[in-house]
Amino acid sequence: MSKEQATYSHGHHQSVVSSHARRTVHDSAAFLAPHIQPTHHILDVGCGPGSITADLAALVPEGRVVGVDAVASVLDQARARVRRRRRQRAAYADATFDVVYCHQVLQHVRDPVGVLREMRRVAKPGDGGGGGSFVAAREADYGGFAWYPADAGLDRWGALYQAQAVASGCEPNAGRCLHAWARRAGFAPEHTQTTVTSWCYTGARARQWGEMWADRAVHSGFATVVKDKGLGTEEGLQAVSKAWADWAMKEDLFFNVPSTEILYRVPPTTPT
């Protein structure tokens, strides 16, 4: 993979990693799962704490799953999780993977097109049959988030999130860009399926989301970037944190996180 220069503004505070560890194949890779075969070799790019990686491993009892991430501490957690699921993580070579997948990664990199090209490069050429080889990605669109009840403090958080992501060299609205990035990376439209799904939280799960962001607003990499880039103050971040905590205590909570997905079926002969 190419060297990345963007800043991962979420950071790896426990509030971030715990949230990421709740992700599953069901809620984050349902668009890909029906295409996975028991013998597939899968590369999970930016695997984080490995919850999706472990789920993928369960789908390939005769295959292999490799998870890669830039941060050693989350890889340690991923290794432990995958060991508990009795799957092996191994080194990988170019052009050996049947499936190359990333989830909520491209929004955090400076060159998402370059990363997609690399993902395509390490995927096997397709076999021309019903199984084939795939490159898959799923990216959120922060500009499309919606919540109830309305809250001015959460509006402020949304504006700060956009500003700190851009200041970090990232694209917070990656979901709406994903299909264009894929085309520029050489993914032919006729071989690329584009879909949109959402995480829709209500009740206790929405409350957990609010409490998580109340913590992240002051303790995670998000807070560090906001202050370091002169986008806000500690006092302002405390106000955003309180807004999240207060919102989480309200009735009839609703929070929607839309994400765009691309599923590229690699053709039998991959152009150079």
Side-chain angles (χ1 to χ4, degrees), residues 58-254:
L59 299 178
V60 290
E62 303 167 50
R64 181 181 70 172
V65 177
V66 176
V68 294
D69 199 282
V71 178
S73 60
V74 293
L75 277 177
D76 289 341
Q77 295 182 46
R79 290 187 185 100
R81 181 170 282 107
V82 174
R83 279 197 297 269
R84 288 196 295 271
R85 297 286 289 269
R86 299 184 180 181
R87 304 307 300 167
Q88 181 181 3
R89 298 162 57 84
Y92 66 93
D94 293 353
T96 58
F97 292 97
D98 302 287
V99 176
V100 184
Y101 162 80
C102 73
H103 184 262
Q104 314 296 9
V105 170
L106 302 176
Q107 64 188 272
H108 298 297
V109 304
R110 193 174 296 276
D111 182 15
V113 174
V115 174
L116 284 168
R117 286 196 187 106
E118 285 291 285
M119 291 173 66
R120 184 172 180 265
R121 181 180 63 80
V122 300
K124 292 179 181 178
D127 61 10
S133 177
F134 298 91
V135 177
R138 187 172 188 267
E139 292 296 325
D141 189 321
Y142 276 74
F145 283 18
W147 54 83
Y148 179 89
D151 189 282
L154 269 62
D155 292 341
R156 174 60 178 156
W157 164 81
L160 274 178
Y161 188 92
Q162 293 277 336
Q164 61 83 38
V166 171
S168 298
C170 306
E171 174 49 75
N173 304 321
R176 69 188 69 178
C177 306
L178 185 55
H179 73 294
W181 290 342
R183 182 182 56 77
R184 286 158 51 194
F187 294 20
E190 62 269 25
H191 296 300
T192 307
Q193 173 184 304
T194 303
T195 52
V196 176
T197 59
S198 295
W199 292 334
C200 183
Y201 301 142
T202 59
R205 187 64 184 92
R207 185 165 293 110
Q208 287 178 344
W209 181 266
E211 291 168 349
M212 176 268 295
W213 263 108
D215 196 9
R216 287 171 70 170
V218 290
H219 295 302
S220 72
F222 164 85
T224 301
V225 173
V226 166
K227 290 183 288 188
D228 288 351
K229 300 293 186 180
L231 302 170
T233 63
E234 178 65 28
E235 182 180 17
L237 288 168
Q238 290 290 344
V240 169
S241 175
K242 184 176 186 303
W244 272 110
D246 291 346
W247 179 85
M249 297 304 295
K250 295 178 181 179
E251 297 293 327
D252 301 321
L253 295 176
F254 170 88

Side-chain angles (χ1 to χ4, degrees), residues 5-30:
Q5 301 300 321
T7 300
Y8 180 54
S9 60
H10 287 205
H12 293 88
H13 185 264
Q14 188 57 41
S15 60
V16 178
V17 176
S18 295
S19 175
H20 291 176
R22 293 191 182 102
R23 297 171 179 174
T24 67
V25 160
H26 176 73
D27 68 23
S28 301

